């Protein structure tokens, strides 16, 4: 039984299946039916790659593995069972002889006022699709707006965290918004403004200074404002207050605050190391030889640096998954014991950072490259590292080079369905989906350890940055794990954390359908009923937010508006859809119990705030 199909889990399943050759029953438990190649998510958000290009089918590539859709709820080590919940809310139980825990990580929330309400994560496809739509929408709304200050705010984009993810998103996003403005007929006076913030003294603080200088130069030449030693002190609906006292009006906040290990391991009652399960160099849990752990969930001793643990990075998770698969196979051999198990060792062979277009920074085998040469190496590395879809990805790159990007927003993912505090970023939240509700003190929230710098998962939180990622290597590991410092200020000052993953954008606070609140729509529906309409709603599992009687079938509906609001669906694929929606072309927003932790309204606002590892790191 393998829990999690990120870089560690997927590699473990593939390695074990090849070693077992049909002589073992291998089950892979994962919330989605695909492995997500996280490093290319920024290109999905920028419209370069189609979403399915970065997903690899589990059943299509792991022929001898039985994939099970679901999220692990708890594990009984004595009974050797895993209890899980499937996407439709049904519970199940799976037995195992060997367990590989590769559950990954969840978003970390720092005690910065307004972040939970006005920021989103960037660790799954829903969040990447949301960001793409959000950037497009802000440019369109700015072009049609009459107020100069609002137009400026909508064209201002703030990225917090200059690690791998923050740097790549700022680079790709800046190119996207410039293209959107050039193509818009009402672009007069519009000039996108991008800010990249980090409390560290330079961008990519965890990498070689030459790579850092290359990235800094490329960004500044494009007009990105790189501000080091600066972070966000408070986020509001109208903008962000920086730690240097400046207030920046914006509708978009990209928040790269790192990750913490999935809380699933905390309930096992086993020795932990700053939120990660302590394991031996062979990836076995001490005292539980049938249990292996790898990726972000495991604190693996770094044999190259005695006394330390390997950081939560995708490249480590990818390699650890291979070792875990081999060791599980060895443990199943008759007479197999500790003598047949291999310890985990690693050697870094280089780094690559995609800066958009033909620009990149790379140092394969220690050779420093920049410009088109680095861009070619970076894309070649990604094609070699991906376990599938190589031809499709290469085709999308070719088309992007010769054709303009499609400048449309689909509205498939709404702001409330990708909250920052979700424990399942790979799944879009459905209205009323209690199974994935998390309060502000939940698994992604900051703890005293975060504030005082004792969270080992992401490094010390002092006044500097700690390298938390070794970057890509040419042996097939994943290159994009963020090791940048995270940001935010507490009441005692600015707190620095080492990040390992993605971007966040602000929620859609000014979407077109937010013009109506629930009361206005309900009054309209009451009037319809008085005029002869039944007002009844007959839901079906697949009806989504579509309405047969809708006068505007191309727009989705807010869940707080319209008589067909379905608050209480438990199936994520139903999401924000309603059969009687007057605007099915836009996903329905939730105004009631759909957002228990913080009570987002239809506009995406919250009145109160209450990494292989691949799942979480870049």
């Amino acid at each position: 039984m393998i829990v999690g199909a990120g870089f560690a889990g997927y590699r473990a399943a593939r390695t074990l299946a090849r070693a077992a050759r049909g002589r073992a029953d291998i089950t892979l438990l994962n919330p989605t039916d695909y492995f997500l190649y996280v490093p290319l998510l920024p290109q999905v958000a920028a419209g370069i790659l189609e979403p399915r290009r970065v997903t690899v089918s589990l059943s299509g590539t792991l022929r001898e593995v039985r994939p099970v859709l679901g999220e692990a709820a708890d594990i009984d080590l004595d009974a050797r069972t895993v209890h899980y919940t499937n996407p439709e809310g049904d519970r199940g139980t799976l037995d195992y002889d060997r367990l590989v825990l590769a559950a990954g990580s969840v978003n970390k929330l720092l005690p910065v006022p307004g972040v939970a309400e006005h920021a989103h994560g960037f660790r799954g496809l829903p969040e990447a699709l949301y960001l793409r739509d959000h950037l497009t929408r802000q440019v369109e709304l700015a072009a049609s707006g009459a107020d100069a200050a609002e137009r400026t705010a909508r064209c201002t984009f703030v990225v917090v965290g200059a690690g791998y993810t923050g740097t790549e998103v700022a680079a790709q996003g800046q190119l996207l918004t410039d293209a959107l403005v050039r193509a818009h007929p009402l672009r007069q006076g519009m000039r996108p403004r991008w800010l990249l913030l980090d409390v560290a003294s330079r961008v990519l603080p965890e990498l070689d200074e030459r790579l850092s200088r290359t990235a800094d130069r490329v960004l500044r030449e494009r007009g990105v404002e790189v501000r080091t030693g600066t972070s966000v002190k408070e986020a509001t609906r109208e903008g962000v207050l920086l730690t240097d006292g400046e207030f920046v009006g914006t509708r978009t906040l990209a928040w790269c605050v790192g990750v913490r290990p999935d809380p699933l391991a905390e309930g096992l009652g086993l020795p932990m190391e700053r939120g990660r399960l302590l394991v031996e160099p062979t990836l076995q849990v001490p005292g539980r030889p049938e249990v292996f752990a790898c990726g972000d969930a495991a604190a693996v001793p770094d044999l190259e640096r005695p006394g330390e643990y390997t950081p939560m990075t995708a490249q480590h998770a990818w390699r650890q998954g291979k070792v875990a698969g081999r060791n599980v196979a060895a443990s199943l051999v008759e007479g197999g014991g500790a003598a047949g198990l291999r310890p985990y060792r690693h050697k870094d062979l280089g780094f690559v950072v995609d800066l958009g277009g033909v620009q990149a920074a790379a140092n394969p085998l220690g050779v420093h490259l920049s410009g088109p040469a680095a861009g070619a190496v970076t894309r070649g590395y990604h094609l070699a590292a991906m376990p599938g879809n190589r031809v499709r990805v290469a085709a999308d790159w070719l088309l992007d080079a010769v054709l303009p990007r499609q400048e449309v927003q689909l509205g498939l993912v709404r702001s409330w369905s990708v909250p920052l505090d979700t424990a399942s970023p790979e799944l879009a939240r459905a209205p009323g989906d209690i199974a994935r509700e998390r309060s502000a003190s939940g698994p992604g929230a900051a703890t005293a350890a975060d504030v005082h710098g004792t969270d080992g998962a992401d490094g010390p939180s002092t006044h500097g940055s700690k390298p938390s990622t070794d970057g890509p290597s040419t042996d097939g590991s994943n290159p994009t794990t963020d090791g940048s410092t995270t940001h935010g200020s507490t009441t005692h000052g600015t707190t620095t954390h080492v990040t390992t993953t993605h971007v966040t954008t602000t929620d859609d606070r000014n979407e077109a359908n937010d013009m109506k609140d629930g009361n206005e729509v309900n009054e309209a529906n009451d009037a319809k009923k008085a005029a002869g309409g039944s007002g009844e709603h007959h839901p079906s599992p697949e009806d989504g937010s579509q309405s047969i009687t809708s006068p505007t079938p191309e727009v989705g509906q807010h869940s707080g508006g319209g008589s067909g609001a379905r608050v209480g669906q438990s199936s994520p694929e139903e999401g924000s859809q309603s059969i009687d929606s007057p605007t099915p072309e836009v996903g329905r927003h939730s105004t009631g119990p759909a957002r228990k932790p913080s009570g987002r309204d239809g506009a995406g606002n919250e009145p109160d705030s209450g990494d292989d590892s691949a799942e979480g790191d870049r």
Side-chain angles (χ1 to χ4, degrees):
M1 160 68 68
I2 301 171
V3 178
F7 281 83
Y10 180 88
R11 188 81 182 277
R14 191 173 72 173
T15 302
L16 179 57
R18 290 176 177 177
R21 297 180 180 179
R23 294 172 293 176
D25 180 11
I26 307 170
T27 300
L28 180 59
L29 179 65
N30 197 57
T32 64
D33 62 353
Y34 58 80
F35 158 74
L36 177 64
Y37 190 74
V38 179
L40 292 181
L41 268 185
Q43 296 193 25
V44 174
I48 298 173
L49 297 178
E50 289 300 314
R52 286 183 294 179
R53 304 295 187 257
V54 298
T55 63
V56 179
S57 169
L58 299 181
S59 59
T61 57
L62 302 175
R63 299 289 185 178
E64 298 180 353
V65 176
R66 179 170 70 103
V68 175
L69 286 178
E71 297 180 78
D74 58 83
I75 300 173
D76 189 332
L77 296 177
D78 295 327
R80 298 194 178 188
T81 57
V82 176
H83 304 283
Y84 71 96
T85 303
N86 72 15
E88 295 185 347
D90 299 325
R91 295 183 62 85
T93 301
L94 298 168
D95 300 324
Y96 67 84
D97 295 308
R98 298 290 187 276
L99 173 67
V100 178
L101 186 61
S105 53
V106 299
N107 287 319
K108 175 188 290 183
L109 300 182
L110 298 180
V112 179
V115 168
E117 295 85 349
H118 304 293
H120 295 277
F122 191 75
R123 300 181 50 216
L125 271 182
E127 294 159 325
L129 293 174
Y130 168 77
L131 175 58
R132 163 89 167 125
D133 274 1
H134 176 78
L135 296 178
T136 306
R137 179 162 46 250
Q138 296 312 306
V139 171
E140 292 174 346
L141 292 177
S144 60
D147 183 76
E150 181 179 347
R151 287 163 59 94
T152 299
R154 290 191 183 279
C155 284
T156 300
F157 310 93
V158 179
V159 180
V160 183
Y164 275 117
T165 302
T167 299
E168 290 186 349
V169 169
Q172 297 283 4
Q174 188 270 338
L175 293 178
L176 172 63
T177 54
D178 276 3
L180 291 174
V181 169
R182 286 195 302 269
H184 206 285
L186 303 176
R187 65 182 181 273
Q188 291 82 0
M190 294 175 56
R191 183 178 181 181
R193 177 191 181 194
W194 282 80
L195 285 79
L196 179 61
L197 315 177
D198 201 303
V199 295
S201 60
R202 58 186 176 92
V203 300
L204 300 173
E206 70 283 358
L207 298 187
D208 181 89
E209 288 192 14
R210 290 178 296 177
L211 296 181
S212 177
R213 288 196 299 268
T214 298
D216 186 276
R217 174 180 54 79
V218 170
L219 292 175
R220 292 181 186 273
E221 288 177 352
R222 290 182 184 169
V224 176
E225 298 180 31
V226 180
R227 298 193 184 184
T228 57
T230 306
S231 185
V232 171
K233 186 176 183 179
E234 182 180 2
T236 68
R237 178 186 178 94
E238 289 75 26
V240 294
L241 176 65
L242 306 184
T243 53
D244 61 8
E246 179 184 355
F247 183 84
V248 177
T250 182
R251 299 295 188 271
T252 305
L253 174 64
W255 184 258
C256 307
V257 296
V259 295
R260 66 170 57 250
D262 192 290
L264 177 66
E266 296 177 357
L268 298 180
L270 297 172
M272 308 289 290
E273 171 63 29
R274 297 177 179 179
R276 295 193 283 174
L277 199 61
L278 269 175
V279 299
E280 299 171 347
T282 58
L283 307 182
Q284 284 179 304
V285 175
R288 293 281 182 176
E290 78 281 2
V291 180
F292 297 76
C294 51
D296 288 0
V300 182
D302 192 337
L303 300 182
E304 302 298 321
R305 300 179 179 87
E308 298 184 18
Y309 298 94
T310 58
M312 297 167 61
T313 67
Q315 67 140 336
H316 279 294
W318 185 250
R319 298 173 177 181
Q320 290 169 10
K322 182 177 182 179
V323 174
R326 287 178 174 176
N327 286 348
V328 169
S331 71
L332 293 172
V333 176
E334 183 176 356
L341 305 184
R342 300 182 182 181
Y344 172 70
R345 291 182 179 274
H346 70 93
K347 182 178 180 181
D348 302 318
L349 301 177
F351 304 81
V352 295
V353 181
D354 189 353
L355 299 176
V358 298
Q359 297 293 326
N363 60 351
L365 301 176
V367 179
H368 179 70
L369 299 174
S370 62
V377 169
T378 299
R379 292 198 169 185
Y381 170 79
H382 287 312
L383 288 180
M386 289 191 69
N389 294 345
R390 296 184 181 95
V391 174
R392 290 186 172 93
V393 169
D396 275 4
W397 284 341
L398 177 60
L399 290 175
D400 180 69
V402 298
L403 296 176
R405 299 179 195 176
Q406 294 178 294
E407 298 153 355
V408 296
Q409 50 161 323
L410 300 179
L412 299 178
V413 181
R414 311 303 287 175
S415 61
W416 56 266
S417 64
V418 285
L420 182 61
D421 62 351
T422 180
S424 303
E426 64 273 17
L427 297 177
R429 187 191 298 267
D433 189 357
I434 305 302
R436 295 196 301 277
E437 296 288 355
R438 293 291 188 271
S439 67
S441 60
T447 64
D450 298 323
V451 178
H452 296 98
T454 58
D455 186 352
D458 291 323
S461 141
T462 53
H463 294 285
S465 63
K466 172 187 175 185
S468 128
T469 173
D470 295 325
S473 68
T474 56
D475 67 350
S477 63
N478 178 26
T480 53
T481 304
D482 258 3
S484 67
T485 56
T486 62
H487 323 282
S489 61
T490 68
T491 56
H492 303 291
T494 301
T495 304
T496 306
H497 293 271
V498 177
T499 99
T500 52
T501 170
H502 314 310
V503 182
T504 38
T505 71
T506 60
D507 46 56
D508 279 355
R509 298 181 288 275
N510 298 281
E511 296 160 338
N513 284 340
D514 295 341
M515 301 293 290
K516 299 181 181 180
D517 61 21
N519 293 332
E520 292 173 331
V521 180
N522 287 333
E523 290 173 4
N525 289 330
D526 291 338
K528 285 183 179 181
K529 294 179 183 179
S534 67
E536 294 180 314
H537 179 213
H538 304 283
S540 65
E542 65 277 7
D543 62 4
S545 101
Q546 311 301 326
S547 169
I548 289 179
T549 61
S550 169
T552 55
E554 65 280 4
V555 178
Q557 174 81 355
H558 297 279
S559 70
S563 61
R566 298 175 60 193
V567 181
Q569 303 178 53
S570 60
S571 175
E573 55 271 43
E574 293 175 357
S576 55
Q577 302 179 342
S578 170
I579 198 169
D580 63 349
S581 167
T583 55
E585 65 274 17
V586 174
R588 183 188 300 273
H589 274 227
S590 169
T591 62
R595 188 70 174 85
K596 278 185 89 173
S598 51
R600 288 181 187 266
D601 61 16
N605 302 312
E606 300 180 8
D608 301 297
S609 167
D611 238 276
D612 240 72
S613 135
E615 294 145 4
D617 55 6
R618 286 270 333 272

